[in-house]
Amino acid sequence: MKVSDHALFRWMERAGVVDVEKIRTALAQSLDRAWQAGAEMSGGELLVLSAGLVYVIRNGTLVTVLHEDGRHNHARNMARTKPDRTAGDAD
């Protein structure tokens, strides 16, 4: 017999093993700053890379979390090579 991820999650939630709402709130709070910073520029979709994971946010809702497999390294490299700007820089 196998147990699906969905069934395992539901069992953990309903058996009281995990407080899902507490985890949901903590996750939302940890991603909110990135969402607020990128939402206006992203057109409603944003990828947040953190600790080897890719958080996919669409229209203010975290829709999935993926393992970082290198496909998003270009975004990480762009962030590293972006020139520093100071208040005195002209646009």
Side-chain angles (χ1 to χ4, degrees):
M1 180 179 155
K2 294 182 181 181
V3 177
S4 71
D5 290 345
H6 177 77
L8 178 62
F9 178 78
R10 289 294 175 224
W11 173 79
M12 290 174 18
E13 177 184 29
R14 293 179 178 144
V17 174
V18 175
D19 183 348
V20 174
E21 290 308 314
K22 187 175 182 178
I23 294 170
R24 183 188 321 269
T25 299
L27 184 55
Q29 288 174 345
S30 72
L31 293 171
D32 188 60
R33 184 173 178 195
W35 168 249
Q36 295 301 326
E40 190 173 310
M41 296 182 298
S42 69
E45 184 167 323
L46 184 68
L47 301 179
V48 177
L49 285 72
S50 178
L53 298 174
V54 178
Y55 299 85
V56 180
I57 304 171
R58 289 191 184 120
N59 299 318
T61 300
L62 177 64
V63 295
T64 193
V65 180
L66 308 168
H67 286 285
E68 170 58 73
D69 60 5
R71 290 184 290 166
H72 305 95
N73 281 340
H74 65 282
R76 190 180 310 268
N77 290 336
M78 286 173 51
R80 286 187 188 141
T81 60
K82 186 175 181 181
D84 289 333
R85 297 187 55 108
T86 62
D89 287 346
D91 288 336

